[in-house]
Amino acid sequence: QVQLVESGGGSVQAGGSLKLSCQASGFADKKCGMGWWYQAPGKERKFLSDIRSDGTTTYTDFVKGRFTISQDNAKNTVFLEMNSLKIEDTAVYYCALDVHWQCGAENHNYWGQGTQVTVFS
C-alpha cells in the first residue's frame, strides 16, 4: 500500500520560512518523480512543484525564487523549502508521487493527506 507521510507544516509570520518533508513508501513501480500541490481556502488544488528522479525541477511561476524542491532518492523523500512566505501562500500543501512502470512526463498518481501552512501578518 502506497503511503505518503508529510511533515513540517504550521503557522509562520509573513516573510518567514518553513520546510516541508514527505516520505513515500509501499510502491512497487518505478519512482519517476515527486512533487507538491497546494489548495488555498475555497480554491481548487493546483500544481506547485515537481522533481524528477534525475533531479530536474519545475515550479509554478508564483513560487519561483522563493521555494526550492529537493529530494533524497535513497529515502524516497521530497522536501519543499519555502522562503519569503506571503499571506497568499496560506494553503493545504499536498505531497504527490509519480510511480509508473515507465516514466514519461510528470504524472502524479498518489497523494498525501496534506499539511496546513498558514502565513499571518
Side-chain angles (χ1 to χ4, degrees):
Q1 181 179 354
V2 176
Q3 283 192 313
L4 296 170
V5 180
E6 299 145 330
S7 62
S11 297
V12 64
Q13 193 167 22
S17 300
L18 281 175
K19 187 173 183 177
L20 306 183
S21 302
C22 173
Q23 185 168 34
S25 62
F27 55 91
D29 285 333
K30 183 177 182 179
K31 181 171 70 73
C32 304
M34 295 185 73
W36 294 93
W37 292 59
Y38 71 101
Q39 187 166 17
K43 303 292 178 102
E44 63 183 13
R45 190 179 304 184
K46 294 183 180 180
F47 172 79
L48 192 153
S49 183
D50 174 82
I51 185 166
R52 302 283 87 195
S53 291
D54 68 359
T56 303
T57 60
T58 56
Y59 297 91
T60 191
D61 284 345
F62 85 93
V63 302
K64 286 181 181 177
R66 298 192 299 125
F67 292 9
T68 303
I69 192 169
S70 61
Q71 66 186 342
D72 181 339
N73 274 326
K75 296 182 179 180
N76 294 317
T77 299
V78 66
F79 306 96
L80 184 69
E81 184 155 4
M82 305 184 291
N83 297 314
S84 302
L85 282 161
K86 304 176 181 180
I87 292 174
E88 53 264 41
D89 293 322
T90 294
V92 178
Y93 286 72
Y94 294 91
C95 175
L97 176 66
D98 176 351
V99 289
H100 291 89
W101 68 273
Q102 185 172 357
C103 295
E106 173 249 301
N107 184 14
H108 299 135
N109 52 344
Y110 292 97
W111 305 88
Q113 292 195 333
T115 185
Q116 176 70 44
V117 171
T118 301
V119 185
F120 58 90
S121 61

